[in-house]
Amino acid sequence: MTHIYNFSAGPAILPKEVLAQAAAEMLDWHGSGMSVMEMSHRGPEFMSIYKAAERDLRELLAVPDNYKILFMQGGGLSQNALIPLNLVGHKPQPATIDFIHTGSWSGKSIKEAAKYANVNVAASSMTSVPPQSEWKLTPGAAYLHMCTNETIDGVEYDFDAGVPAAVDGVQLVADMSSHILSRRVDVSKYGVIFAGAQKNIGPAGVTIVIVREDLLGKALPACPSAFDFKLVADNESMYNTPPTYGIYIAGLVFQWLKRQGGVAEMEKRAIAKAELLYAALDASDFYETRVAKQSRSRMNVPFYLKDESGNEAFLAGAKARGLLQLKGHKSVGGMRASIYNAMPIEGVQALVDYLNEFAGRRHSRESGNP
Ligand SMILES: *Cc1c(COP(=O)(O)O)cnc(C)c1O
């Protein structure tokens, strides 16, 4: 069989080693005679899995002691409601939430938050992160929400350029679903970081929430108890049954990340992979990208064939080479290559080879050469 490289945006590629280990442990976890799926979430076996996952994630992201890590259900989208329900109670009502709108996911967050608070779009651009000097923030806002990597549009914050930093004491909330653990981040700058697992961590169904302790305990009365961050934190994510098998796989991914050299090493690899791919796209007049260079995502690379009549042939040829799930999101069209932590550079090289070959083939057909 051709070697397969999976460029799906999510649910997405996982490390082969992790899948092999999960397969080997499927029927009998560590001599317990049980699959992880069959264990009580409060029993000593699963508690050891949970505690290791929590500890490893804390270590990988250098999460300070005054932050809780919650393993919740509901995915990234449900956090668009749960974060207002948990945070706006810290301010007199009706509170205002500021947003930076940089693409589809922050757009969805804005719509949902408007059910619970006033929303102010402080800055907006779908092709770059607007410079911080242009953000029109609300004094006394409950918090400032940003999606630090827009999975569909391919816009990523360049943390190295100083964004985001604490903004006039306003609480930062970041949706890091599609680039968490791919780059170093200073957790202490945030009130809440959240991420659905299915992009860079593990199976769909687990949602990671990292929340500073002083933000707990002010949930609005309408907040469902099972999603009250304080109740979840006080019960070590076991107020109700957590997504146990997903947490187990996430834990294996965290161990894999540590063996690879942690987040700093992932960041190095992400830079190398992204540079390789963008360089190939930039060098060709056959393809185009639409995101400003300084805001290009290292994880999700949307690109377009200038002549879109070649789209179907491009995808069919890619599939024949084992390059899977390259079709862009239906809302923006074109192509998208998601190159998460588990994507080896060989996969990106295989894609680059194909990009060059496909462009060359089309060129020679147009110019009449064989
Ligand atoms: C995928 C994604 C989500 C939505 O996650 P669901 O688990 O489908 O709710 C939210 N934000 C970002 C940035 C994403 O990439």
Side-chain angles (χ1 to χ4, degrees):
M1 197 170 96
T2 332
H3 196 103
I4 295 298
Y5 292 110
N6 178 4
F7 294 92
S8 171
I13 185 171
L14 287 169
K16 286 276 178 288
E17 269 173 70
V18 165
L19 296 176
Q21 186 179 347
E25 295 177 346
M26 173 61 84
L27 297 182
D28 179 6
W29 182 83
H30 294 202
S32 66
M34 295 179 281
S35 167
V36 173
M37 265 181 267
E38 302 171 303
M39 291 173 182
S40 161
H41 56 298
R42 299 183 200 281
E45 294 90 353
F46 186 74
M47 278 313 285
S48 74
I49 292 171
Y50 175 82
K51 294 226 185 256
E54 200 271 351
R55 199 173 51 236
D56 287 339
L57 181 57
R58 190 173 286 277
E59 181 185 325
L60 283 163
L61 289 176
V63 177
D65 289 343
N66 61 327
Y67 284 74
K68 297 287 189 194
I69 298 178
L70 315 178
F71 290 82
M72 299 183 70
Q73 312 215 34
L77 277 187
S78 63
Q79 291 300 325
N80 288 337
L82 299 175
I83 289 174
L85 282 165
N86 276 280
L87 293 197
V88 299
H90 287 264
K91 297 281 177 184
Q93 302 301 303
T96 298
I97 306 170
D98 283 342
F99 284 88
I100 310 299
H101 187 191
T102 48
S104 308
W105 291 114
S106 46
K108 286 191 182 182
S109 302
I110 293 165
K111 261 183 129 168
E112 187 74 10
K115 295 182 182 174
Y116 307 100
N118 296 323
V119 298
N120 168 50
V121 178
S124 177
S125 163
M126 304 307 119
T127 52
S128 66
V129 177
Q132 211 170 315
S133 57
E134 292 173 11
W135 298 1
K136 304 251 182 321
L137 300 173
T138 309
Y143 60 89
L144 170 64
H145 177 118
M146 51 183 65
C147 175
T148 46
N149 185 60
E150 287 280 0
T151 320
I152 292 174
D153 308 82
V155 173
E156 182 171 12
Y157 283 65
D158 181 3
F159 293 72
D160 304 333
V163 178
V167 184
D168 294 340
V170 172
Q171 214 50 68
L172 285 174
V173 170
D175 178 356
M176 297 195 182
S177 292
S178 51
H179 72 163
I180 193 166
L181 293 164
S182 74
R183 59 191 303 157
R184 287 161 299 168
V185 23
D186 181 354
V187 173
S188 70
K189 285 182 177 167
Y190 299 85
V192 179
I193 292 170
F194 70 95
Q198 72 271 26
K199 313 292 168 49
N200 225 354
I201 293 180
V206 183
T207 314
I208 307 286
V209 176
I210 302 171
V211 53
R212 217 180 49 225
E213 281 169 353
D214 61 279
L215 296 173
L216 301 172
K218 292 261 172 73
L220 297 179
C223 183
S225 302
F227 294 108
D228 178 333
F229 291 169
K230 174 145 176 49
L231 283 178
V232 179
D234 287 350
N235 290 280
E236 292 191 292
S237 304
M238 313 254 172
Y239 179 78
N240 67 332
T241 313
T244 53
Y245 196 77
I247 291 171
Y248 157 70
I249 300 285
L252 295 183
V253 171
F254 300 152
Q255 289 168 18
W256 178 82
L257 287 169
K258 284 172 65 176
R259 289 198 299 276
Q260 305 303 303
V263 172
E265 174 63 21
M266 286 301 119
E267 181 168 347
K268 235 189 269 170
R269 292 185 196 175
I271 291 169
K273 288 184 281 180
E275 279 178 356
L276 177 62
L277 182 49
Y278 284 114
L281 292 165
D282 288 344
S284 164
D285 54 11
F286 192 81
Y287 304 102
E288 67 172 321
T289 59
R290 296 175 184 172
V291 174
K293 279 196 176 156
Q294 77 277 9
S295 300
R296 283 172 161 179
S297 171
R298 295 172 185 164
M299 293 285 109
N300 308 99
V301 181
F303 63 94
Y304 297 83
L305 274 59
K306 280 191 181 149
D307 174 6
E308 294 216 283
S309 69
N311 283 0
E312 290 309 315
F314 178 88
L315 288 168
K319 193 167 178 202
R321 274 166 190 70
L323 308 174
L324 305 183
Q325 309 207 66
L326 282 163
K327 190 170 181 166
H329 192 270
K330 60 184 184 309
S331 63
V332 293
M335 309 296 158
R336 172 175 51 171
S338 295
I339 49 177
Y340 296 121
N341 283 342
M343 173 63 69
I345 195 152
E346 291 78 13
V348 179
Q349 186 61 55
L351 174 58
V352 165
D353 292 344
Y354 175 61
L355 287 170
N356 291 334
E357 186 197 312
F358 188 81
R361 211 180 335 137
R362 287 271 158 157
H363 266 304
S364 54
R365 189 174 314 157
E366 276 155 25
S367 59
N369 297 327

